Amino acid sequence: MSRGPDFKAVVAQHGSPLLLLDCDVVRRQYRSLQAALPGVALCYALKPLPHPAVVAELRDLGGCFDVATSGEIRLVKAEGVAPDRCIHTHPIKSDAEIRAGLRFGIRTFVADNPDELRKFRRHRTRAEVLLRLSFRDPTAVVDLSRKFGCEPAAVAPMLELARDLGVTIRGLSFHVGSQVAEPKKYVEAIGVCAELIEHARASGLADLDLLDIGGGFPIAYGGTMQPIREFCRPIRQALKQLPRGVRVIAEPGRFIAGPSGTSVSTVIGRAQREGRWWYYLDDGLYGSYNGQLYDHARYPIDVPGRRGPAHPSVLAGPTCDSIDVVREDIPLPELQLGDLVVGRMMGAYTACSATDFNFIPRAKIVALNVQARSRRAD
Ligand SMILES: Cc1ncc(COP(=O)(O)O)c(C=O)c1O
């Protein structure tokens, strides 16, 4: 947060629980990744935080967008983003979804297998395709190359199939996984793609001129992490090996959204159980903290405004389910009803996958430090 919001005041105004979305941080993260990857067009992947304020800020910074569904298309459209600043990256989609993308005016789609490629035959005059490859990275917290992506050896046969279908293959894409620990896999993937592009050109199969290096750029959930410029140094080097005329794009999600979100919840009950305080919050594992399950994230948590000797305590969510425990054995001063509990780095893969199980409302998202002009068409 820029100067740090007054959590009590924001809760007094908007209620609890909240997810504060700091647009200053969205802009800062975008700019720092852009500086770390000069010449690479950043297409914000909407999935981790599909919020109009994020779209508007990035739109005004000249960013592009990675959409995966017609719902995400509706959002970018509502924010006045031009379709030529969007790519559709879902490797497996229905024809209705493809048509929704085409209707909006998106031209670039992704496929990773022959059946998906065949879906584009009927749309061949209006669509072009990136072939997505799989490069599995054991250091990635979320492996996105198990469910999607083809082997490098499958590229040439798919280029031949595309030629027979009359479908244009524009380039290649990959996603080494989300929250990767080191840049090695990007470097390997870029090297393999460079060879595949050269081979496709030399054999006359296709003149590939676009490489999409995906998302995955990591953020620090605790502890330290090398600055993004350092992390990207080997990637910048690797990109120099690409054949001439290849444009590069990336699909960062977490790196832009994660640090921008702060969860604020309230202690609504407490009880002593087996010698420890259990504090019950109005947000939990079925709400903003769901990323602890789905995204394997562990968010830094603190209790601003409450000091005293720390004791191992339990933070539990508001539902009736016993799995709904946010943190076991967290050292905390004794909390009182009404105290606020703050989760940091909670912008990505939190609100987007929250539920209202038990009819317990999800956290309201409050955008702070908004600079973007209200909706405009490019
Ligand atoms: C196709 C695609 N692009 C981009 C992303 C964003 O990845 P990250 O949040 O790790 O940057 C994802 C995440 O699931 C994805 O599936």
Side-chain angles (χ1 to χ4, degrees), residues 106-185:
I106 293 180
R107 192 170 160 75
T108 309
F109 294 80
V110 168
D112 69 358
N113 68 82
D115 281 339
E116 195 71 15
L117 216 43
R118 288 188 190 96
K119 292 180 189 170
F120 286 93
R121 180 177 193 165
R122 65 178 63 161
H123 307 300
R124 61 188 179 279
T125 56
R126 293 195 292 158
E128 60 188 21
V129 172
L130 303 179
L131 293 182
R132 176 155 161 184
L133 287 103
S134 161
F135 294 99
R136 297 189 70 175
D137 184 349
T139 80
V141 173
V142 184
D143 180 358
L144 289 168
S145 276
R146 184 173 94 93
K147 187 170 171 185
F148 299 115
C150 65
E151 292 298 315
V155 167
M158 280 206 278
L159 289 178
E160 282 168 21
L161 173 63
R163 187 189 51 197
D164 296 346
L165 295 169
V167 172
T168 302
I169 306 293
R170 180 74 197 281
L172 304 177
S173 79
F174 59 80
H175 195 309
V176 293
S178 199
Q179 184 70 5
V180 298
E182 38 183 71
K184 256 185 0 211
K185 204 43 97 173

Side-chain angles (χ1 to χ4, degrees), residues 33 43-48 66-68 88-91 110 132 142 144 148 173-175 177-180 186 212 214-218 250-257 295 348-349:
L33 187 57
C43 302
Y44 171 63
L46 264 79
K47 44 194 86 62
D66 152 8
V67 299
H88 191 296
T89 63
H90 205 313
V110 168
R132 176 155 161 184
V142 184
L144 289 168
F148 299 115
S173 79
F174 59 80
H175 195 309
S178 199
Q179 184 70 5
V180 298
Y186 291 90
D212 178 350
F217 306 96
E251 305 164 4
R254 180 190 308 276
F255 186 82
I256 290 171
D295 191 39
Y349 305 108

Side-chain angles (χ1 to χ4, degrees), residues 3-20:
R3 260 184 297 132
D6 176 344
F7 295 119
K8 272 196 177 147
V10 192
V11 166
Q13 188 183 351
H14 296 281
S16 174
L18 297 175
L19 186 76
L20 304 182

Side-chain angles (χ1 to χ4, degrees), residues 233-244:
R233 184 191 300 276
I235 302 177
R236 289 195 296 276
Q237 279 303 113
L239 290 174
K240 291 183 185 157
Q241 317 158 30
L242 287 173
R244 275 230 314 247

